[in-house]
Amino acid sequence: MQMTYVFTELKQGLRRNVSMHLAVVLTLFVSLTLVGLGALLKFQADHAEEHFGKINQVVVWLCNDASKASTCTGSVSPAQKAAIIKVVESNPEAKGHHVESQQVAYDKTKRLFGQQYQTKLPADFGPDDLRESIWIDLKDRHEADGIMSAVQGLDGVDSIRDSRGLVGPIFKILDRMQIGSLLTAGILLMAALLLVANTIRLTAYARRREIGIMRLVGAGTLYIMLPFLLEALITAVAGVLLAAVALTSFEYFAIIRGVSDLRLMPWVDWTDLRMAVIAAAILGPILTVVPTLLLTRKYLKV
């Protein structure tokens, strides 16, 4: 295969349709950025659920040595914890439960504060300073009075947190933002597909003479299609790179330098950002190369 011809055609194609390629790149950039933001919002909702509990959960905090509740005489004993779990398991409003140890609570606290804020914790701060807890899943999030009244007042119970009123507004905001970003991204991705199709049609028409000659001399399908595919790949790479820059800027300026000072919950981190960029990097070429592969065969009739 004469790669000189392929790269010459690629260069001419990019130069011939500069405005159209820029339109595709910018549309991909905005849509992939919104897809990435949707992924980050999903990760943020997962972090909020891990920290606060699900919208249909009640959290029972057990006593430790620092507890002041009248039902506490020190750290909860194994017998007291077993009695509390028995009440939870026998209650018809409870769907299930899991116990979160002091070590798990300590690990979550360290993650909440992050490396740069852990130095602000007391030097002797450890798992024993935190309380063990029982996270109860409700069968119906509108029915929790029975389980709360059954557990409240038991020996070894420090306090009870009703997660429904706490996390409901948070999840509602995150869900609406995620849905809005993904719907907008979907519309823009459709626009990108239409732009890709129009670009292929115009390019194929502009090169109709060269393509006819190539067919007459017996050029293969891949040989004729390769310049189109490379154009689509370059367009996708440009859109993905711009989206990656935008998402990285969002993570750094909006999260790391912005809301991370609010120790409300664990925020999305660089690992979450990497997953969002990978999703954009996979989606970008799919949106350009696959339609180009299909439509090129149609327009060129190879």
Side-chain angles (χ1 to χ4, degrees), residues 36 39-40 43 240 243-245 247-248 272-283:
L40 289 177
F43 295 143
V240 169
V245 171
L247 292 172
T248 303
D272 299 320
L273 173 67
R274 184 165 58 250
M275 296 301 296
V277 171
I278 290 174
I282 294 173
L283 185 59

Side-chain angles (χ1 to χ4, degrees), residues 64 84 102 113 116 132 139 143 171 176 193 198 218 225:
N64 67 357
I84 297 170
Q102 291 174 296
F113 277 82
Q116 67 271 37
E132 197 172 1
K139 292 181 179 178
E143 297 181 3
F171 286 151
R176 288 179 177 178
L193 288 174
N198 195 41
M225 295 174 62

Side-chain angles (χ1 to χ4, degrees), residues 163-183:
S163 298
R164 297 172 299 166
L166 175 64
V167 304
I170 296 175
F171 286 151
K172 184 179 293 185
I173 293 173
L174 291 174
D175 288 343
R176 288 179 177 178
M177 291 176 65
Q178 182 182 14
I179 292 172
S181 64
L182 292 179
L183 284 177

Side-chain angles (χ1 to χ4, degrees), residues 251-264:
E251 174 68 24
Y252 181 74
F253 291 105
I255 304 299
I256 304 300
R257 298 289 298 273
V259 296
S260 64
D261 289 336
L262 303 174
R263 314 316 301 172
L264 177 63

Side-chain angles (χ1 to χ4, degrees), residues 83-222:
I84 297 170
I85 292 176
K86 184 177 181 180
V87 170
V88 171
E89 291 176 341
S90 62
N91 193 282
E93 294 179 353
K95 180 180 179 181
H97 72 281
H98 71 273
V99 178
E100 184 177 283
S101 66
Q102 291 174 296
Q103 182 62 49
V104 173
Y106 177 68
D107 294 338
K108 288 172 65 174
T109 301
K110 290 198 299 181
R111 181 179 178 185
L112 174 63
F113 277 82
Q115 292 291 337
Q116 67 271 37
Y117 291 97
Q118 289 183 24
T119 56
K120 298 182 180 181
L121 295 173
D124 58 347
F125 181 79
D128 291 339
D129 295 305
L130 298 172
R131 294 171 295 177
E132 197 172 1
S133 56
I134 302 174
W135 298 61
I136 305 171
D137 296 319
L138 302 173
K139 292 181 179 178
D140 185 344
R141 68 186 182 91
H142 299 292
E143 297 181 3
D145 293 339
I147 185 67
M148 292 175 65
S149 61
V151 174
Q152 187 72 50
L154 293 177
D155 290 339
V157 174
D158 186 348
S159 60
I160 299 176
R161 185 182 74 190
D162 187 353
S163 298
R164 297 172 299 166
L166 175 64
V167 304
I170 296 175
F171 286 151
K172 184 179 293 185
I173 293 173
L174 291 174
D175 288 343
R176 288 179 177 178
M177 291 176 65
Q178 182 182 14
I179 292 172
S181 64
L182 292 179
L183 284 177
T184 306
I187 294 172
L188 290 172
L189 289 174
M190 183 62 66
L193 288 174
L194 294 174
L195 284 171
V196 169
N198 195 41
T199 301
I200 294 171
R201 183 178 63 83
L202 293 175
T203 305
Y205 180 79
R207 299 180 187 174
R208 63 191 183 281
R209 178 176 297 179
E210 293 91 338
I211 293 170
I213 296 173
M214 294 300 297
R215 283 205 297 260
L216 289 175
V217 299
T221 299
L222 181 60

Side-chain angles (χ1 to χ4, degrees), residues 66-96:
S67 298
K68 304 298 183 181
S70 59
T71 53
C72 298
T73 57
S75 295
V76 62
S77 67
Q80 291 174 335
K81 183 166 67 173
I84 297 170
I85 292 176
K86 184 177 181 180
V87 170
V88 171
E89 291 176 341
S90 62
N91 193 282
E93 294 179 353
K95 180 180 179 181

